[in-house]
Amino acid sequence: MGWAVLYRVRRLWTVLVMVSVLAGLWQAGRVVLPAAHVAWTWWAASEDPAALARLELAERVSEARIGQEIDAAVAQRDLDLAQSFLALAEAERVPVAPARKAAVKALEDGQTWESTKAFARGAFIGDGEGLSGMAGAFTADVVGIGDVRDLVREGWHAARGEAVDEILVGLSAVGLAVTGATWAMAGTPAPVRAGLTLVKTARKAGRLSAPLAASVGGLLRTAVDMPGLKRALASVGKFELSEARSAALAAVRTERLAPLAAMGEDAAKLYRRAGYRAVDDVLASARSGPEIARFARLSEVYGTGTRAVMKLCGRGAILLSKSLAHIFGWLFAALGWVWSVASAAAAFGRWLARVTPPRRRRRVPVEACGAEPALP
């Protein structure tokens, strides 16, 4: 009798332990599995800028935040940014007060004359700002005037023994080569030409980030004969423009222009979809050509709202902002949870097989098996 009671107590204790383990696994699963799902979502989106931006915006976009950003943009007379936030609000279906829309419209009506001045400054000086300024700079560069003008300027520096901006000189030389191809091919390389103008304008304005400037400089040293180009600058300093133009074109290794052409094309796509100020912000923060390409992919989805996305998310709009330790920590926790559940299920199955009495096989009469009955 004592052994039977002890056996029952032990079995009851085992059942209580197993119930406790299952309850603990249930509670752990409620914490681990949702967090692991979120971590996997971030990891799966790491190569898709638009997906990353959606995840970032889900944590940042609200009616109050959008309203504050529009008010700040209007106060700074940044029409482009204000319009970008309006576009983002429409895309995310966030309501905007009519008074804020009216303030943006009033700011737009007051900038017509400024646009005209920006076009002229871009065409004659090459450092235009905004859509009109970039249109002026592109108009000058596409016919070669802007590139020769910049070579003349750097030639003066070289003739006076001053420092020469090799990136600006290299981009001008490459621009002349692409301009020739643009005219020869009836405008096919025009997007590349526009993109290089954007990069060059950012360089002159001091807006090109240091890592991106180093990357562009490396690409130019590969694609351009810099010593030969510097010799051409001496001719530019003496106002021998046609000779300097020919020397600059001869210094360009056209077969090595692919990476620069890709960068220019990506910048042009971004400009076409999101505007000049978005390109300016990208060139001030990007560290390489591939990052410009990721921003261009982002603009495919958000268009004119791209600059607002960048303002809210920063580099998190194109790069994974969550730490890998955080992501993989939750993923490994989920794997550990699955292993624990499998182990507990296996242990429960073994215990159940041990405590369950085996079923007795029912004896079947010989006649039921088809055997002939024994003779009397």
Side-chain angles (χ1 to χ4, degrees), residues 135-370:
F138 176 70
T139 301
D141 278 0
V142 81
V143 296
I145 296 174
D147 292 320
V148 174
R149 176 199 59 218
D150 293 332
L151 287 173
V152 168
R153 183 182 300 158
E154 294 303 314
W156 267 104
H157 293 161
R160 298 169 63 179
E162 299 174 354
V164 174
D165 189 337
E166 292 188 357
I167 293 178
L168 184 58
V169 169
L171 287 172
S172 298
V174 172
L176 286 171
V178 175
T179 297
T182 301
W183 288 112
M185 300 175 65
T188 303
V192 178
R193 167 68 274 178
L196 292 177
T197 296
L198 289 164
V199 176
K200 190 174 69 169
T201 303
R203 175 64 176 181
K204 287 190 290 187
R207 293 284 292 164
L208 204 63
S209 71
L212 184 57
S215 177
V216 172
L219 294 176
L220 286 171
R221 283 189 290 274
T222 301
V224 178
D225 176 16
M226 282 297 179
L229 193 53
K230 288 181 179 179
R231 288 193 295 271
L233 286 178
S235 299
V236 174
K238 299 174 184 176
F239 292 98
E240 299 172 9
L241 299 183
S242 60
E243 191 175 324
R245 180 189 179 99
S246 300
L249 290 173
V252 177
R253 305 181 181 102
T254 55
E255 71 279 2
R256 299 183 183 180
L257 288 179
L260 280 168
M263 182 185 298
E265 189 169 3
D266 289 328
K269 290 177 181 177
L270 184 61
Y271 173 58
R272 186 170 63 251
R273 297 167 184 154
Y276 166 74
R277 296 298 298 275
V279 179
D280 187 58
D281 290 346
V282 166
L283 295 178
S285 63
R287 299 177 181 176
S288 63
E291 288 195 3
I292 298 176
R294 293 176 74 90
F295 278 113
R297 288 173 57 192
L298 179 68
S299 68
E300 292 178 4
V301 176
Y302 288 98
T304 55
T306 302
R307 193 176 174 214
V309 175
M310 294 165 54
K311 180 71 164 54
L312 293 176
C313 305
R315 292 172 58 79
I318 62 163
L319 298 174
L320 191 63
S321 61
K322 303 294 183 182
S323 70
L324 293 180
H326 175 83
I327 291 175
F328 285 112
W330 282 114
L331 293 178
F332 281 119
L335 290 176
W337 183 87
V338 171
W339 180 84
S340 299
V341 170
S343 299
F348 179 75
R350 289 194 299 268
W351 176 81
L352 196 62
R354 191 167 58 249
V355 300
T356 303
R359 296 179 58 187
R360 293 186 177 183
R361 297 179 59 188
R362 186 170 61 88
R363 298 187 64 177
V364 181
V366 177
E367 291 82 357
C369 298

Side-chain angles (χ1 to χ4, degrees), residues 62-85:
S62 66
E63 183 177 354
R65 180 68 186 275
I66 293 291
Q68 291 171 2
E69 295 291 348
I70 292 175
D71 291 343
V74 171
Q76 297 170 5
R77 299 189 59 78
D78 192 338
L79 174 63
D80 182 85
L81 185 58
Q83 291 175 333
S84 183
F85 272 105

